[in-house]
Amino acid sequence: MVWTSRPVRRLAGSIRAPGDKSCSHRALIFGGLASGVSRFTGLLEGDDVIRTGLAMAAMGSEVACTGPGAWEVRGVGTKGLASPKDGLDFGNSGTGSRLMMGVMAGFDLTAELSGDASLSSRPMNRVLNPLRQMGMKDTAGPDGRLPFSLTGSSALKGIRYAPPQASAQVKSAVLLAGLNAVGTTTVVEAKATRDHTERMLQGFGAKLGFKVAPGGAAEISIEGKQPLFAVDAAIPGDPSSAAFLIAAGILSAQGDVMVEGVMSNPTRSGFYDAANLMGAHLGAEERGEAAGERLIDLHAGYAGLKGIAVPERLVASMIDEFPILAVLAAFATGETRVTGADELRVKESDRIKAIVAMLRVNGVDVEETVDGFTVQGCGGPVPGGGLVETRHDHRIAMSALVMGTAAKKPVSVDDVSMIDTSYPDFLGHMAMLGAEIGQG
């Protein structure tokens, strides 16, 4: 079903940021492993996260919704996880499936894993290879793609592992396998990635080691067979979801958008740093902490943007925000160049190709490169008028709809259903700000 976003003069209002997806996944997983009952508020209730909760429940934990965003999880504790009676369907969730592979690897269980067409096209060997080194077995083919079965072991062995690519999901999967392995597991990171796993594991009582290796690489280690203990925690607001609202405020001719309770974490701030380099001048106000993460309120108003060469040091901390950054670049004056972002090739879609196609169909001059793209900004509103193929990628869909609010002509997308995987309130929140987005 085609949905269309029409140009509007003003987007304004205050929105509470939806719960962070990364933290919501981990809350359900760690709560499900811990001893006792954990209680969470502000949990993101998107399809990706719900499927993680269903997987944990299928293996023995008790997961229950007690109100909007409020969840209770009774963990398995020392009993450990057990083989599920039925297969585990992770839908479109790369994060949930990869984290859960690491979790399951350390228990005496067998599970059948599957996903939708998009997830089944994504590479899993990057996670499977280190888990195989630790002693996990699987039936995946040479390409490592779903569906396949996985057999874990309580005799899993700790390893020292340096991921060949900067990936928080790979790092997290190995650390989660190490949590129930024999001995010490160490991950060596040449480039820093999201650290929610490390922060939240410590919040649940685990002890981790941190040091800098020769050459500047970070080493994170975990001793196996550590218990986790239940917690009560508020989930911080998702900076990746907030980025769409903030971008809408920047592009609106009379923009005045506040997003409240956004997580401020240096491993997630790349989009906001890049937007400020382009001239956005975002406002931020401290709002305390949630689940060990600093919270801020973010304010955005209209800004005339200029193109930049996005510093490669920001790439890992904004890997999910490149589609919406590309939209900002399309409205900017001058050239914006992205390099070192080859990880975009293995997201929900080949995001480099999807970004380029999204901009071209709306009249923007953009060039695809091996590890990024180059956008020639329009120096103001983009022509618009195109129908964007979303390729079952929620971030492409949301970025295109934000583009339409400030383009010269309406922008349409071929599907919005996948937005529910990460931001089920997106269309409602955009409407609250004054956007005109509807079917047809």
Side-chain angles (χ1 to χ4, degrees):
M1 176 69 71
V2 171
W3 282 64
T4 298
S5 176
R6 293 172 172 78
V8 294
R9 185 67 180 165
R10 176 176 171 81
L11 291 176
S14 295
I15 301 290
R16 170 69 60 176
D20 183 74
K21 185 163 70 119
S22 296
C23 291
S24 294
H25 279 296
R26 289 161 174 80
L28 294 179
I29 291 171
F30 300 159
L33 295 174
S35 295
V37 178
S38 296
R39 298 174 178 85
F40 306 109
T41 58
L43 193 96
L44 178 69
E45 293 173 333
D47 185 69
D48 282 9
V49 174
I50 297 301
R51 288 179 186 269
T52 292
L54 291 172
M56 290 303 296
M59 291 185 288
S61 62
E62 298 177 19
V63 182
C65 178
T66 59
W71 290 73
E72 286 189 358
V73 182
R74 183 179 296 276
V76 296
T78 56
K79 182 176 66 174
L81 298 177
S83 299
K85 294 180 180 179
D86 301 309
L88 304 177
D89 183 353
F90 288 96
N92 190 237
S93 182
T95 299
S97 59
R98 288 170 173 151
L99 294 184
M100 289 300 297
M101 289 176 201
V103 171
M104 292 185 284
F107 293 93
D108 295 317
L109 60 80
T110 297
E112 296 281 344
L113 283 64
S114 64
D116 67 10
S118 174
L119 185 61
S120 298
S121 71
R122 298 174 69 179
M124 295 298 174
N125 275 335
R126 56 176 53 192
V127 170
L128 294 174
N129 285 336
L131 298 181
R132 290 163 180 158
Q133 292 179 34
M134 300 175 79
M136 186 201 77
K137 306 295 184 184
D138 64 82
T139 63
D143 60 2
R145 301 188 192 279
L146 292 170
F148 54 75
S149 69
L150 173 159
T151 299
S153 171
S154 59
L156 211 68
K157 301 293 185 182
I159 61 170
R160 179 182 178 87
Y161 187 70
Q165 64 284 115
S167 170
Q169 292 176 0
V170 175
K171 172 182 68 175
S172 296
V174 175
L175 290 175
L176 291 176
L179 178 65
N180 210 45
V182 177
T184 301
T185 297
T186 301
V187 177
V188 183
E189 277 199 311
K191 295 180 180 179
T193 62
R194 298 181 183 188
D195 61 357
H196 306 309
T197 295
E198 299 95 302
R199 288 173 180 258
M200 293 184 71
L201 275 174
Q202 291 177 100
F204 279 84
K207 292 181 172 60
L208 280 73
F210 301 90
K211 71 176 186 178
V212 178
E219 293 189 3
I220 308 103
S221 60
I222 186 167
E223 188 69 26
K225 306 302 180 182
Q226 292 192 58
L228 300 182
F229 301 97
V231 302
D232 291 351
I235 304 300
D238 194 324
S240 298
S241 295
F244 298 101
L245 308 180
I246 291 298
I250 293 170
L251 297 178
S252 174
Q254 298 177 16
D256 184 12
V257 173
M258 178 78 76
V259 187
E260 302 172 347
V262 181
M263 178 200 305
S264 178
N265 179 314
T267 68
R268 299 286 298 279
S269 67
F271 168 79
Y272 302 101
D273 296 338
N276 279 328
L277 289 174
M278 297 175 76
H281 306 301
L282 303 177
E285 182 177 341
E286 295 280 350
R287 284 297 300 269
E289 291 189 353
E293 301 279 1
R294 173 178 170 239
L295 298 182
I296 57 174
D297 290 345
L298 278 170
H299 178 261
Y302 173 77
L305 303 175
K306 63 180 184 300
I308 61 169
V310 177
E312 288 198 18
R313 62 181 170 79
L314 297 180
V315 168
S317 62
M318 61 180 297
I319 199 67
D320 283 337
E321 289 79 64
F322 276 108
I324 192 61
L325 180 90
V327 171
L328 294 187
F331 284 77
T333 298
E335 180 179 278
T336 296
R337 187 168 66 256
V338 172
T339 57
D342 48 312
E343 184 72 7
L344 292 171
R345 297 285 188 188
V346 292
K347 289 294 184 178
E348 283 83 343
S349 63
D350 178 335
R351 277 205 181 134
I352 293 177
K353 287 187 178 299
I355 288 168
V356 169
M358 171 182 69
L359 297 185
R360 279 182 179 163
V361 78
N362 284 288
V364 181
D365 184 2
V366 56
E367 178 187 356
E368 176 182 345
T369 62
V370 172
D371 62 347
F373 52 90
T374 301
V375 180
Q376 302 300 330
C378 297
V382 304
L387 172 61
V388 174
E389 181 187 357
T390 57
R391 308 176 189 218
H392 207 67
D393 191 322
H394 53 130
R395 300 195 193 279
I396 295 296
M398 290 186 282
S399 297
L401 294 174
V402 169
M403 187 195 315
T405 66
K408 293 179 180 177
K409 296 179 180 179
V411 172
S412 299
V413 298
D414 63 359
D415 189 13
V416 297
S417 62
M418 81 297 292
I419 293 175
D420 281 348
T421 63
S422 69
Y423 193 170
D425 292 327
F426 172 74
L427 294 173
H429 283 175
M430 288 295 291
M432 290 169 63
L433 296 177
E436 295 180 6
I437 302 173
Q439 292 185 28

